Amino acid sequence: MPGMTGLELCAWVRQNRPRTDVILMTGYGSSESAAEGLRLGAADYLFKPFGDIELVIGSVERLIEKRRLRDETESLKTQLLQMDRLSSIGRLSAAVAHEISNPAGFVLGNLSMIQEDLMMLAVEYPEQEARLDEMTAMVADAITGIQRVSDVARDLRAFAAADVGPPQAMRLLEVVETSIRIAKVAVRHRARLTTDLGDVGLIEGQPGRLAQVFINLLTYAAHTVPEGNPSENEVSVSMRADGNNAIVEIMDTGTPLTDAQRAEV
């Protein structure tokens, strides 16, 4: 080989093209050079003349199988990392939901008592009715706000609790509705969110993982449209039964997902 020996080429490939597999073939080899070639990363080392072409074919077939197993191992590692990340998100969601739900419950209970007292005071002091009614309306708005916080915490708990374990019977409608509530904050500043959800009954699956898929799709759908004109854009979610299948469609008026985004979903 002009300007470079086979061993030098093998070393260069290992450093600059680490995913490229090399089979060294030489008519001037020795056991020492074979050992050096394997140390430098060669997949095999063959001496010429081969005598039997099946030796070459066998070496190539072993290399192909090794590459297949390596690719499968890398794919499994990636899936395990994604599962671990999803599990971590679930644990974090559960912790956040717990920290939110307790104080939210206290606030909601106290606000409800204040609202009842204001209504009683309006009866006892009719001359202050207008002011008390105004305060009652303000408390009602606060109750609505804290109830929304409680609902988010509940959805987070449901999402986290369903993240692990084997497939189970579940109502797909509940999973989709929970996903919509969680993703709504990402959608509302960019598009109108419309739904047409038919109840398809029970299906078997992992609610947390399905919810993550729907949340990803809704989030990406929102980000395919520009921010600032929600009335001009739409993200729609529909669900229906088709024989023994349940079909969920998420559509938007934005640009299509890129290949990278589609892979993340």
Side-chain angles (χ1 to χ4, degrees):
M1 181 180 300
M4 185 180 293
T5 67
L7 293 177
E8 289 171 343
L9 175 62
C10 189
W12 183 91
V13 169
R14 182 179 183 182
Q15 181 175 356
N16 297 279
R17 301 286 190 274
R19 292 186 60 82
T20 300
D21 296 308
V22 175
I23 297 177
L24 287 175
M25 301 180 184
T26 180
Y28 305 97
S30 64
S31 58
E32 290 79 9
S33 62
E36 180 65 11
L38 296 174
R39 187 187 68 81
L40 292 172
D44 205 349
Y45 195 103
L46 302 178
F47 295 97
K48 294 185 290 186
F50 305 122
D52 186 355
I53 192 62
E54 292 298 327
L55 291 175
V56 180
I57 295 174
S59 179
V60 173
E61 288 178 343
R62 287 193 299 273
L63 181 56
I64 293 173
E65 179 64 12
K66 179 181 177 182
R67 183 61 179 267
R68 184 186 66 81
L69 291 174
R70 184 174 66 191
D71 290 345
E72 287 184 358
T73 299
E74 291 178 356
S75 176
L76 287 172
K77 286 181 178 179
T78 300
Q79 292 179 36
L80 288 173
L81 286 173
Q82 291 174 342
M83 290 172 62
D84 184 65
R85 181 172 57 184
L86 185 60
S87 179
S88 297
I89 293 173
R91 290 193 296 270
L92 178 61
S93 299
V96 171
H98 178 73
E99 291 298 322
I100 291 175
S101 61
N102 285 345
F106 298 148
V107 173
L108 182 60
N110 289 336
L111 285 174
S112 297
M113 292 181 62
I114 292 172
Q115 187 179 45
E116 292 176 3
D117 289 345
L118 288 172
M119 294 173 66
M120 292 175 60
L121 288 172
V123 175
E124 294 179 14
Y125 301 97
E127 68 277 8
Q128 299 291 331
E129 183 178 4
R131 177 57 179 162
L132 290 171
D133 286 347
E134 181 181 352
M135 294 175 64
T136 301
M138 293 170 63
V139 172
D141 289 341
I143 289 175
T144 300
I146 199 64
Q147 186 63 60
R148 288 180 59 187
V149 172
S150 297
D151 290 343
V152 170
R154 180 198 62 207
D155 292 338
L156 284 174
R157 283 200 307 272
F159 170 67
D163 180 47
V164 295
Q168 57 183 276
M170 62 180 180
R171 287 190 68 219
L172 186 58
L173 178 61
E174 293 179 356
V175 175
V176 173
E177 289 177 337
T178 295
S179 304
I180 290 172
R181 287 193 295 268
I182 293 176
K184 187 179 293 185
V185 66
V187 178
R188 65 185 179 189
H189 297 300
R190 294 175 178 267
R192 293 175 289 107
L193 181 58
T194 61
T195 61
D196 180 15
L197 305 177
D199 192 348
V200 299
L202 296 176
I203 68 167
E204 187 174 278
Q206 292 176 298
R209 297 192 185 283
L210 270 179
Q212 185 63 59
V213 171
F214 295 140
I215 291 169
N216 285 352
L217 286 171
L218 287 165
T219 301
Y220 280 125
H223 284 82
T224 61
V225 298
E227 190 173 6
N229 295 301
S231 61
E232 298 179 7
N233 296 288
E234 181 181 7
V235 174
S236 64
V237 185
S238 63
M239 183 170 64
R240 67 183 188 276
D242 183 11
N244 293 326
N245 298 318
I247 298 177
V248 179
E249 292 181 333
I250 298 176
M251 304 180 69
D252 62 78
T253 55
T255 55
L257 291 177
T258 65
D259 290 341
Q261 289 173 327
R262 194 173 291 109
E264 289 181 11
V265 173

